Amino acid sequence: MKFVSTRGKAKAVTAGEAILQGLAEDGGLYVPETFPTLRNLPVGEVSSYGEFAFEMLAPFFEGDLLEHDLAEICVDAFNFPIVLNPLGPERWVLELTHGPTCAFKDFGARFLACSMEKLLEKHGRKLTILVATSGDTGGAVAAAFHGRKGISVKVLFPKGRVSERQKKQLTCWGGNIESYEVDGSFDDCQKMVKSAFMDASLKDWGLSSANSINLGRLLPQSVYYAYSSYLFRAATGKKPIFIIPSGNVGNCTGAYWSFQMGAPIERISLALNANRTVLDYLESGKYVPRASVQTLANAMDVGAPSNMERLLNLYPRFEDFRKMVSATSVSDDEIRKTIKQTWDEDHYILCPHTATAERVRRDKFADKPTIIVSTAHPAKFWTIVEPLIGSPVPVPQELQLLLDKPSSFRSIGCDYHELFQEAKP
Ligand SMILES: *Cc1c(COP(=O)(O)O)cnc(C)c1O
């Protein structure tokens, strides 16, 4: 199985090669040359989610260096529960929030970390991963790569712009994870990472990234859609509509890939916050990336979605894109209203991101068979959620564990050279 670039000018590579490379040489993103067909896997036939993931992903790794490690990678990566919570007979919540950092990014980050560790071991190489983060990504990447052999991680976050609990998730690791509090904005952090990548004198550090364009994060994000749609169909006899809180549109691309492979999915609908680039494209036929605006669902504050290229590659004709993709923009006021309403009516606590999906369900799909995707645990956003529901959000054990650890980080300015002052690992 080979992967090709969305821009069509790079050599086709295998999954492991794409994972180590990140971006294709022509600046495009790797996508599968063809989609394998799911062998209508009855979920009951496999004993665990890890095993299901292996069955589903195996065709993508045929002929790859990782082919014979994939089973072990899947078991190692998905070592936490995946929860389907029915709020009604045909109204389910897919809770992707039970991993080490209580966000769906744990799925992709852990699969990528396990795959990279194996690949580096085989090549006898070492890597230093740079991540600039405005919150969730850095925590999931730090947690996933902590203690992995051959890899060190430098996490950059903007001073004063991440919540206390997010900061804890970025700074509690030690070992092979180093955290830097940058006296600047998230954009400054990203610029520092970009400058470091372009600095030829840092070549020996083997710099790499772990961002959401990496194939190793995308592939595992297709698995839970197939898994939950089979379970939904077995329970209800129907195919679900998935409603997915979206920013960089990586999570929903996983759903489309799963659909392409034949998972029993009725429709996929994107819930956006006030960042409506995808919706504007659907309405105008012109794709115009823009600057992001700040919202309550901050992990979705994206004006130029990095995985849009993959979606456009899947449905290059605008008519097809419009047929397959629907999107709705949800305001901060609607997010607040939905968190309160869902608590009052269902006694269920939503995080601000998941609330966008629930709003779309209530407004557009109220009587339809649906699965909304819960992308983060509300306890991470307690300062927003608690005043709305008027009661405390219980802190899950995974999160409490991290909050109880000591923090360590270095405060630096906006010069990327400050990241490379100690000896190379
Ligand atoms: C990253 C993130 C999203 C958006 O996912 P994309 O793949 O960027 O579309 C939604 N919710 C939460 C909590 C996130 O961390």
Side-chain angles (χ1 to χ4, degrees):
M1 162 72 84
K2 288 283 171 93
F3 294 82
V4 293
S5 165
T6 47
R7 300 194 186 168
K9 298 211 171 60
K11 166 167 121 358
V13 298
T14 66
E17 290 165 346
I19 287 170
L20 278 185
Q21 262 188 43
L23 214 58
E25 278 157 7
D26 60 359
L29 312 186
Y30 284 115
V31 293
E33 206 163 32
T34 56
F35 284 94
T37 307
L38 282 171
R39 297 185 296 108
N40 196 18
L41 287 172
V43 174
E45 252 180 38
V46 291
S47 63
S48 69
Y49 182 75
E51 208 177 308
F52 180 89
F54 167 67
E55 291 286 338
M56 179 164 167
L57 296 181
F60 291 109
F61 286 82
E62 248 165 51
D64 184 71
L65 208 52
L66 292 179
E67 181 169 5
H68 301 293
D69 300 287
L70 185 65
E72 192 190 325
I73 290 171
C74 288
V75 171
D76 183 0
F78 310 122
N79 65 345
F80 53 88
I82 172 164
V83 176
L84 282 152
N85 199 337
L87 297 185
E90 294 179 4
R91 176 193 169 195
W92 291 18
V93 183
L94 171 58
E95 295 181 354
L96 303 176
T97 58
H98 301 277
T101 69
C102 303
F104 90 90
K105 293 199 171 66
D106 287 324
F107 285 84
R110 286 190 60 80
F111 186 84
L112 177 66
C114 296
S115 302
M116 272 195 174
E117 183 181 45
K118 288 265 185 237
L119 285 165
L120 292 172
E121 194 182 310
K122 288 177 195 292
H123 289 291
R125 275 174 57 193
K126 289 189 173 174
L127 277 186
T128 300
I129 288 179
L130 296 185
V131 217
T133 187
S134 55
D136 268 359
T137 302
V141 167
F145 283 86
H146 182 233
R148 303 259 164 215
K149 291 189 291 289
I151 307 171
S152 58
V153 179
K154 293 177 185 292
V155 184
L156 288 69
F157 61 94
K159 185 175 176 177
R161 317 251 179 130
V162 299
S163 78
E164 274 309 303
R165 283 186 188 172
Q166 282 179 325
K167 184 167 170 180
K168 203 52 187 257
Q169 291 190 328
L170 297 170
T171 58
C172 70
W173 302 101
N176 63 331
I177 313 290
E178 284 166 3
S179 310
Y180 298 86
E181 182 183 62
V182 174
D183 194 4
S185 65
F186 173 59
D187 285 343
D188 292 323
C189 296
Q190 279 194 311
K191 274 185 212 142
M192 290 166 73
V193 168
K194 279 197 187 133
S195 309
F197 280 132
M198 281 164 25
D199 185 337
S201 72
L202 294 172
K203 195 166 182 298
D204 287 351
W205 283 78
L207 297 181
S208 181
S209 77
N211 55 24
S212 74
I213 53 97
N214 194 300
L215 181 74
R217 284 183 54 175
L218 245 293
L219 285 176
Q221 288 171 189
S222 66
V223 178
Y224 39 73
Y225 291 104
Y227 183 79
S228 53
S229 61
Y230 281 128
L231 285 175
F232 190 92
R233 194 179 55 182
T236 66
K238 296 184 182 158
K239 295 181 188 178
I241 298 165
F242 280 101
I243 310 167
I244 308 170
S246 297
N248 270 318
V249 304
N251 197 3
C252 66
T253 299
Y256 283 102
W257 285 10
S258 196
F259 177 79
Q260 290 295 319
M261 295 168 73
I265 296 171
E266 179 65 29
R267 182 162 187 80
I268 297 162
S269 179
L270 280 55
L272 311 173
N273 58 20
N275 292 276
R276 36 179 297 144
T277 306
V278 181
L279 183 56
D280 288 344
Y281 174 63
L282 284 167
E283 285 172 358
S284 72
K286 282 203 200 73
Y287 180 57
V288 187
R290 46 188 90 233
S292 65
V293 297
Q294 269 189 20
T295 74
L296 292 176
N298 64 2
M300 293 155 55
D301 291 349
V302 178
S306 59
N307 275 292
M308 189 68 178
E309 225 174 290
R310 283 193 167 111
L311 275 190
L312 291 168
N313 180 265
L314 208 51
Y315 308 116
R317 283 171 19 134
F318 181 58
E319 306 90 89
D320 295 333
F321 192 97
R322 223 170 36 175
K323 206 162 79 197
M324 297 304 298
V325 180
S326 69
T328 309
S329 165
V330 176
S331 70
D332 276 359
D333 278 345
E334 289 174 306
I335 289 175
R336 286 194 200 92
K337 176 176 125 190
T338 311
I339 292 173
K340 183 168 178 349
Q341 186 179 17
T342 305
W343 171 251
D344 290 343
E345 292 173 10
D346 305 303
H347 230 70
Y348 188 79
I349 311 178
L350 299 166
C351 89
H353 309 83
T354 311
T356 63
E358 175 61 7
R359 185 74 258 151
V360 174
R361 188 198 69 78
R362 285 172 183 264
D363 292 347
K364 286 186 143 175
F365 303 108
D367 305 319
K368 301 265 166 47
T370 48
I371 300 183
I372 69 162
V373 179
S374 169
T375 50
H377 194 284
K380 294 179 79 165
F381 302 93
W382 86 108
T383 52
I384 298 168
V385 176
E386 289 186 352
L388 292 169
I389 65 170
S391 93
V393 182
V395 177
Q397 199 189 351
E398 308 86 275
L399 188 56
Q400 194 58 52
L401 227 58
L402 302 188
L403 298 178
D404 291 340
K405 290 198 199 182
S407 273
S408 80
F409 59 89
R410 271 178 51 199
S411 298
I412 61 171
C414 289
D415 179 357
Y416 72 91
H417 291 98
E418 290 185 73
L419 299 166
F420 301 96
Q421 280 166 355
E422 76 289 16
K424 191 156 57 73

